[in-house]
C-alpha cells in the first residue's frame, strides 16, 4: 500500500460524548458494508460489559477505505481509570479527532488526553458532536475548546484547528451547525486533507514500536503497533530491542491488518501501517521490533503507575465451590497473570505468607471491571477493601490525589460540598450558570472510594461526576469509610420473612426471605455504629391459643440491592466481598471469631 494513501487517527473524548457511535457511522458510510447487510450497533464495543454499560473499556483498532485512502482508526476509552491506554495508542497515530459534546463542552478527561496529544505535536480535528440536542451551544463550546488549547500551550499552527459539527446518532457532519441533515463526507474529506500521511523510510531497517497489547486464547499475546521504518514479513528474522536491555531474537507466527472491526491475516506489511503480530509471549509495551543487523530501539512509552490495590484471595466461605467452576488458588493465579498480558496498567503480586494476590490498578472501576469479567467466566473468589498505594519521598508519606469535577443542580450543591469536605476534598473552582453548578476539587483517591453511589443519591441521580489522576501529595488525614455497623448472621440457615420483619427496625436489609446465609455473612446495615449478631431464621412461636394481632400480615420493606462496585466501596478493612458467578455476598473476614463474640454478648 502506498504510504501517502494511509491515514492513522485516534478518536479521543470524554466518556459518553459519542466516540463509538461516530466510528459506526464512519464504517457504514465509507461503503464497507453491503446495502442489505445487517450491521450491529457499536461495532467496536466487542465486550459484553461495554455494551451493557455504554462505555469503552479497552482501546480498539479498526479501519475503513474512502477514495482509495486507507484510514486506520483507534477508538479509545473515555473513563479516567482506562486513560493509560489512551497515552499509549497516541504513539501509533499521526493525528486525532477531538470529540466534544455540544452541551457539556470539554471535560476533565478531554483535558488529560489532549495534553498528551499536544505533547506529541499531533494535528487535531475538533468535532462538536450532538448538535441535534435542544440545549446545544456550539459557539460556547468552540470558545471553551480554544481556551483549553491556549491553556495547554498549544503551538500556533495547532491553535488554528479545523472544526466540524456532527450528529453521530443521525449520521451527518456539517461545516454549519445550523444545518440538520447531510452525510459523513465532510468529515471524511477533512481527515484526508488535515491529517498527514505517516512518516518513515520504506527502504530502512525494520522498526515497529509496540504501543498496545491484545490477547487471543489461540495465539497468545498480540503485539500491536505502527511500522515506522522498513517492512515486516512472515519469514523475516528480527529481534526485540529496548533502551538499556540486550536485544533478544523473536519469531512471528501471524501478521494481521485491521479491516473494519476485524483482523485480517497478511504475509507482509509496510511503513505507516498499523498491524498486530502474534508469536512473542514475552514482549511488552514500549519494546521495538527491529532488524538484527541494526537493532535501534525507538523511544519507549511510560506507563503511569497504579493508584489503587485490592487483595484477591481464594474463597473459604462455607459455600465454597457450590457456584463456581474455577475455585482454587492455582486457577486464580493463572487468570490474573493472563490478564496482565493484555493490560499493562495492571500489576499482580503474590501475597507473602498467605494464599492470594495483590492486584493494583488505575482506579476502583478498573479493578471492578476485572472482577466482573472473572465472575462471568466462572471464577469464585473473595476480594478485600480497596487500598490506595502510598509513596515515600524525602521522609514524607505521599498518597495519590485526583482532580474531581462535578456538575449538579444548585439545590443539591450544599449536600455535595458537605460530603466532599468530609472526604478531605479541597475546592479549586466553582461556576454557576442557569441553575447548574460546576465544582472542581482536589481530593485524595481514598476520598472517592464509595463516593459515586452517595453522590447519585444526594443529587437524585441527576449529578455528573468525573475525575482524573492529578499527582501524589502529602497524606491528607484519616477519612472515615462508614459511620454505621452491620447485621451479621449468627448461623448457617435460610432467611425467614418473620425474622426479617423484626430486624427491619434495627437497620437496612441487604437480602430478602428464602436466601441461604452462613455464620458471619453480612445481611444488612445496623442503624448504629456497633456490629450486632442476629438470627435471620427465627420463626414465629406457634401455640393453640389465639391472640389479637397474631394473624397480622408480615410486610417487608424492599431490601437494598447493591452492585459489585457498591459492595466493594461499602466494606471495612475486616470484611470481604465474596464473588461467585451467581452471587455477591458481604462477610466478615474471621468467621470463627463470631462464636466467642456471641458468647461474650450473651454473658453481658
Amino acid at each position: 500500500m502506498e504510504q501517502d494513501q494511509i491515514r492513522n487517527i485516534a478518536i479521543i473524548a470524554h466518556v459518553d460524548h459519542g466516540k463509538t457511535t461516530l466510528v459506526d457511522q464512519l464504517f457504514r458510510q465509507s461503503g464497507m458494508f453491503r446495502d442489505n447487510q445487517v450491521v450491529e450497533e457499536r461495532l467496536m464495543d466487542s465486550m459484553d460489559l461495554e455494551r451493557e454499560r455504554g462505555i469503552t473499556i479497552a482501546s480498539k483498532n479498526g479501519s475503513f477505505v474512502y477514495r482509495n485512502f486507507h484510514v486506520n482508526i483507534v477508538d479509545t476509552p473515555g473513563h479516567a481509570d482506562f486513560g493509560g491506554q489512551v497515552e499509549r495508542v497516541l504513539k501509533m497515530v499521526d493525528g486525532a479527532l477531538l470529540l466534544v459534546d455540544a452541551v457539556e463542552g470539554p471535560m476533565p478527561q478531554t483535558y488529560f488526553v489532549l495534553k498528551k496529544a499536544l505533547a506529541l505535536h499531533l494535528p487535531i480535528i475538533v468535532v462538536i458532536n450532538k448538535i441535534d440536542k435542544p440545549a446545544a451551544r456550539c459557539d460556547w463550546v468552540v470558545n471553551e475548546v480554544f481556551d483549553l488549547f491556549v491553556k495547554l500551550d498549544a503551538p500556533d499552527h495547532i491553535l488554528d484547528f479545523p472544526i466540524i459539527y456532527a450528529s453521530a446518532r443521525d449520521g451527518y457532519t456539517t461545516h454549519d451547525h445550523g444545518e440538520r441533515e447531510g452525510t459523513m463526507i465532510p468529515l471524511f474529506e477533512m481527515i484526508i486533507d488535515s491529517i498527514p500521511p505517516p512518516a518513515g523510510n520504506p527502504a530502512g531497517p525494520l522498526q515497529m514500536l509496540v504501543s498496545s497489547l491484545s490477547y487471543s486464547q489461540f495465539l497468545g499475546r498480540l503485539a500491536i503497533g505502527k511500522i515506522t521504518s522498513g517492512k515486516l514479513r512472515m519469514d523475516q528474522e528480527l529481534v526485540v530491542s529496548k533502551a538499556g536491555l540486550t536485544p533478544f531474537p523473536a519469531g512471528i507466527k501471524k501478521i494481521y491488518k485491521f479491516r473494519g472491526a476485524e483482523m485480517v491475516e497478511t504475509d507482509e506489511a509496510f511503513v505507516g501501517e498499523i498491524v498486530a503480530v502474534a508469536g512473542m509471549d514475552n514482549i511488552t509495551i514500549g519494546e521495538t521490533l527491529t532488524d538484527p543487523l541494526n537493532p535501534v530501539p525507538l523511544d519507549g512509552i511510560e506507563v503511569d503507575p497504579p493508584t489503587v490495590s485490592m487483595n484477591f484471595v481464594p474463597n473459604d466461605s462455607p459455600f465454597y465451590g457450590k457456584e463456581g467452576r474455577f475455585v482454587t488458588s492455582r486457577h486464580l493465579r493463572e487468570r490474573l497473570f493472563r490478564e496482565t498480558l493484555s493490560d499493562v496498567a495492571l500489576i499482580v503480586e503474590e501475597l507473602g505468607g498467605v494464599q492470594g494476590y495483590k492486584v493494583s490498578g488505575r482506579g476502583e472501576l478498573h479493578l471492578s471491571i476485572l472482577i466482573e469479567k472473572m465472575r462471568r467466566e466462572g471464577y469464585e473468589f473473595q476480594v478485600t477493601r480497596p487500598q490506595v498505594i502510598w509513596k515515600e519521598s524525602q521522609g514524607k508519606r505521599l498518597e495519590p490525589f485526583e482532580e474531581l469535577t462535578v456538575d449538579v443542580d444548585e439545590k443539591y450543591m450544599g449536600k455535595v460540598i458537605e460530603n466532599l469536605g468530609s472526604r478531605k476534598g479541597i475546592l479549586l473552582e466553582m461556576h454557576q450558570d442557569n441553575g447548574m453548578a460546576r465544582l472542581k476539587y482536589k481530593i485524595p483517591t481514598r476520598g472517592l472510594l464509595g463516593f459515586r453511589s452517595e453522590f447519585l443519591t444526594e443529587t437524585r441521580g441527576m449529578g455528573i461526576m468525573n475525575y482524573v489522576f492529578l499527582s501524589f501529595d502529602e497524606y491528607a488525614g484519616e477519612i472515615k469509610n462508614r459511620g454505621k455497623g452491620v447485621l451479621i448472621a449468627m448461623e448457617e440457615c435460610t432467611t425467614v420473612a418473620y425474622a426479617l420483619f423484626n430486624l427491619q427496625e434495627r437497620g437496612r436489609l441487604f437480602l430478602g426471605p428464602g436466601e441461604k446465609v452462613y455464620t458471619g455473612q453480612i445481611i444488612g446495615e445496623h442503624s448504629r455504629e456497633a456490629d450486632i449478631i442476629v438470627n435471620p431464621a427465627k420463626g414465629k412461636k406457634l401455640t393453640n391459643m389465639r391472640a389479637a394481632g397474631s394473624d397480622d400480615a408480615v410486610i417487608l420493606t424492599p431490601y437494598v440491592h447493591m452492585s459489585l462496585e457498591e459492595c466493594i466501596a461499602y466494606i471495612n478493612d475486616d470484611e470481604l466481598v465474596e464473588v461467585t458467578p451467581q452471587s455477591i455476598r458481604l462477610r466478615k473476614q474471621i468467621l470463627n471469631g463470631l462464636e466467642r463474640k456471641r458468647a461474650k454478648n450473651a454473658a453481658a
Side-chain angles (χ1 to χ4, degrees), residues 108-339:
Q109 186 70 6
T110 315
Y111 173 94
F112 171 75
V113 180
L114 183 60
K115 184 177 180 180
K116 301 285 184 181
L118 292 176
L120 296 171
H121 303 289
L122 295 178
I124 309 291
I125 295 174
V126 174
V127 183
I128 310 298
N129 192 29
K130 303 187 182 182
I131 61 172
D132 54 303
K133 281 187 173 182
R137 41 182 181 172
C138 299
D139 294 334
W140 176 84
V141 171
V142 170
N143 290 333
E144 289 291 306
V145 172
F146 183 81
D147 291 345
L148 181 56
F149 273 73
V150 172
K151 187 177 180 180
L152 293 173
D153 296 324
D156 291 344
H157 69 281
I158 292 181
L159 274 177
D160 190 20
F161 49 81
I163 303 168
I164 197 163
Y165 304 93
S167 172
R169 186 195 65 180
D170 295 335
Y172 65 84
T173 54
T174 174
H175 295 285
D176 179 5
H177 60 74
E179 294 182 8
R180 291 293 181 269
E181 60 181 14
T183 65
M184 302 302 289
I185 288 177
L187 181 55
F188 287 137
E189 296 291 343
M190 188 172 283
I191 290 171
I192 302 304
D193 296 338
S194 303
I195 305 297
N201 180 9
L206 171 68
Q207 283 184 316
M208 180 187 126
L209 179 68
V210 179
S211 300
S212 185
L213 294 175
S214 186
Y215 180 82
S216 164
Q217 58 180 333
F218 305 108
L219 298 169
R221 182 177 289 195
L222 297 172
I224 301 172
K226 181 177 72 172
I227 300 172
T228 53
S229 177
K231 64 180 179 179
L232 186 65
R233 299 188 312 274
M234 281 290 295
D235 58 349
Q236 187 172 353
E237 291 187 5
L238 50 85
V239 295
V240 177
S241 179
K242 189 174 184 179
L245 298 177
T246 304
F248 59 90
I252 299 176
K253 291 181 182 177
K254 301 281 185 182
I255 302 174
Y256 293 98
K257 294 181 181 180
F258 295 93
R259 292 288 184 273
E262 299 177 348
M263 293 193 303
V264 179
E265 191 174 339
T266 185
D267 292 329
E268 59 182 359
F270 302 93
V271 166
E273 294 190 276
I274 295 176
V275 296
V277 181
M280 297 161 286
D281 286 340
N282 55 349
I283 196 167
T284 62
I285 282 176
E287 295 180 333
T288 305
L289 292 179
T290 186
D291 193 296
L293 301 178
N294 189 16
V296 180
L298 295 166
D299 291 338
I301 301 171
E302 290 187 11
V303 179
D304 281 356
T307 57
V308 175
S309 69
M310 298 171 69
N311 293 344
F312 285 52
V313 296
N315 190 10
D316 63 354
S317 81
F319 293 168
Y320 158 81
K322 292 185 177 181
E323 298 177 356
R325 291 189 297 130
F326 307 109
V327 297
T328 66
S329 179
R330 180 175 58 82
H331 287 141
L332 197 58
R333 183 184 193 281
E334 183 272 334
R335 178 62 182 86
L336 288 173
F337 279 99
R338 175 159 35 103
E339 187 70 18

Side-chain angles (χ1 to χ4, degrees), residues 311-439:
N311 293 344
F312 285 52
V313 296
N315 190 10
D316 63 354
S317 81
F319 293 168
Y320 158 81
K322 292 185 177 181
E323 298 177 356
R325 291 189 297 130
F326 307 109
V327 297
T328 66
S329 179
R330 180 175 58 82
H331 287 141
L332 197 58
R333 183 184 193 281
E334 183 272 334
R335 178 62 182 86
L336 288 173
F337 279 99
R338 175 159 35 103
E339 187 70 18
T340 63
L341 297 180
S342 58
D343 187 351
V344 294
L346 199 73
I347 297 175
V348 178
E349 306 166 272
E350 296 197 20
L351 292 174
V354 295
Q355 283 190 330
Y357 304 90
K358 179 182 177 182
V359 182
S360 305
R362 292 286 287 266
E364 200 178 357
L365 181 63
H366 186 193
L367 296 178
S368 70
I369 290 292
L370 170 62
I371 294 169
E372 184 63 31
K373 284 197 297 185
M374 290 175 63
R375 71 181 286 254
R376 293 186 182 199
E377 293 167 12
Y379 287 84
E380 183 178 302
F381 55 98
Q382 299 175 137
V383 295
T384 62
R385 181 189 176 198
Q387 303 286 344
V388 298
I389 297 172
W390 304 88
K391 280 187 176 182
E392 294 286 339
S393 178
Q394 299 178 351
K396 294 181 180 179
R397 191 185 190 196
L398 306 181
E399 65 173 318
F401 278 75
E402 313 280 340
E403 184 181 280
L404 170 71
T405 302
V406 295
D407 290 283
V408 295
D409 192 297
E410 287 180 345
K411 61 183 176 183
Y412 304 128
M413 190 170 65
K415 291 181 179 179
V416 174
I417 290 175
E418 183 181 353
N419 193 341
L420 289 172
S422 67
R423 293 171 175 270
K424 307 296 183 183
I426 301 171
L427 183 62
L428 303 177
E429 295 179 20
M430 181 170 66
H431 301 287
Q432 293 175 260
D433 184 30
N434 294 328
M436 294 293 291
R438 174 169 289 187
L439 311 173

Side-chain angles (χ1 to χ4, degrees), residues 519-532:
T519 307
Q521 183 174 335
I522 296 170
I523 66 166
E525 180 182 77
H526 193 200
S527 56
R528 300 182 181 179
E529 289 190 13
D531 296 345
I532 60 169

Side-chain angles (χ1 to χ4, degrees), residues 486-548:
V486 290
L487 308 178
I488 307 168
M490 67 187 302
E491 60 186 6
E492 187 171 331
C493 60
T494 301
T495 58
V496 175
Y498 178 77
L500 297 179
F501 173 71
N502 291 319
L503 290 175
Q504 286 180 159
E505 300 174 0
R506 294 179 174 246
R508 302 187 302 162
L509 295 175
F510 294 159
L511 42 75
E515 299 275 355
K516 291 184 177 180
V517 299
Y518 54 79
T519 307
Q521 183 174 335
I522 296 170
I523 66 166
E525 180 182 77
H526 193 200
S527 56
R528 300 182 181 179
E529 289 190 13
D531 296 345
I532 60 169
I533 299 170
V534 297
N535 182 3
K538 184 177 180 180
K540 187 177 184 180
K541 290 184 179 180
L542 300 178
T543 70
N544 56 0
M545 303 293 291
R546 297 292 298 272

